[in-house]
Amino acid sequence: MSTSFKPLGLAVALALAGCSQAAPSADTADLAPPADTATEAPTTVADAAPAAEAAAVPAPQLQAAMRDLWHGHIVHARDYVIAVHAGNDADAKAAADAVVDNARQISGAVAGFYGQAGGDQMLTLLGGHWGAVKALTDARAAKDDAGATKAIDDLNANAAAIAKFLAGANPNLPEDTVHGLMLAHGAHHAQQINLILADDTAGEAQEWAAMQAHMDMIADALAAAIAKQFPDKAS
């Protein structure tokens, strides 16, 4: 990651709240169902959404950095599910390592702006998010319902923890809003896992397209919120 993006670390971290849109299956019933946001911006982020929808992007470099790193998160997580389903241990390990490396980049960026303690906290939270997604993938692949239920519970708990951290760092993003976005993000990971393991290629392709598009929407809205919080640093 370019050092020029390090002061934008919080914005990158906030994009974790991004989620795609599709109705969760019965397997994700314990996660809060995402709102119908696949084709519209998250209007609950009152200060961020109008700026994100504006023709002029207030902080284009920030926006680009957020999109790039958070696309990495969902790409590598998806690669892990595909490899597990194929029974390819080497590819699964490589994908898992890539998710962790991506989390370290994000956390390093946060540390460059908020200090090492902030970076360490972000890494711990991202580790909890990925640990739950990985556990859910493994449990579903093994048809372990109890393991899957625990993983979903862990995703929910982690969503609350991330929301508290991010809302505390950015006053323009209410904790309840970020919490809802994180729950939806987890639900979409779960939905994608189910579709891949079910060999539903068409369904997963639709989910994947929505996931990427909505990740951009959330990243753009959050970039606007960070630009408002740090107008002298976001560019």
Side-chain angles (χ1 to χ4, degrees):
M1 179 173 55
S2 170
T3 55
S4 64
F5 287 150
K6 285 190 177 182
L8 310 178
L10 176 61
V12 173
L14 287 170
L16 231 183
C19 58
S20 63
Q21 176 54 42
S25 68
D27 289 334
T28 61
D30 290 336
L31 286 165
D36 186 10
T37 52
T39 58
E40 60 185 51
T43 56
T44 52
V45 186
D47 292 331
E53 293 169 355
V57 176
Q61 290 184 4
L62 170 59
Q63 178 192 65
M66 288 171 61
R67 285 188 175 196
D68 182 60
L69 281 183
W70 287 106
H71 271 269
H73 166 68
I74 58 174
V75 165
H76 301 317
R78 179 176 184 258
D79 287 345
Y80 180 78
V81 184
I82 292 171
V84 167
H85 186 42
N88 189 323
D89 293 342
D91 283 357
K93 183 181 184 304
D97 288 346
V99 175
V100 173
D101 183 63
N102 175 270
R104 286 177 178 146
Q105 290 180 41
I106 296 168
S107 300
V110 172
F113 193 78
Y114 284 96
Q116 193 58 50
D120 290 346
Q121 185 175 1
M122 190 72 251
L123 184 59
T124 297
L125 292 168
L126 292 175
H129 173 73
W130 166 238
V133 172
K134 183 177 183 295
L136 182 59
T137 302
D138 296 342
R140 286 293 178 221
K143 302 188 185 305
D144 176 6
D145 290 343
T149 297
K150 182 182 184 303
I152 288 172
D153 289 344
D154 289 345
L155 273 174
N156 282 329
N158 177 261
I162 289 178
K164 183 176 182 179
F165 174 71
L166 297 180
N170 187 329
N172 301 309
L173 296 168
E175 184 174 341
D176 287 348
T177 296
V178 180
H179 187 204
L181 293 171
M182 282 304 306
L183 288 173
H185 178 66
H188 283 290
H189 272 301
Q191 179 78 336
Q192 184 178 63
I193 290 165
N194 290 341
L195 291 167
I196 290 173
L197 295 180
D199 290 315
D200 186 348
T201 303
E204 196 278 328
Q206 182 177 10
E207 170 76 7
W208 179 230
M211 195 170 191
Q212 294 179 86
H214 196 260
M215 181 65 78
D216 283 346
M217 291 182 196
I218 297 295
D220 294 352
L222 293 171
I226 296 301
K228 181 177 179 180
Q229 184 183 21
F230 302 113
D232 295 334
K233 296 181 180 180
S235 61

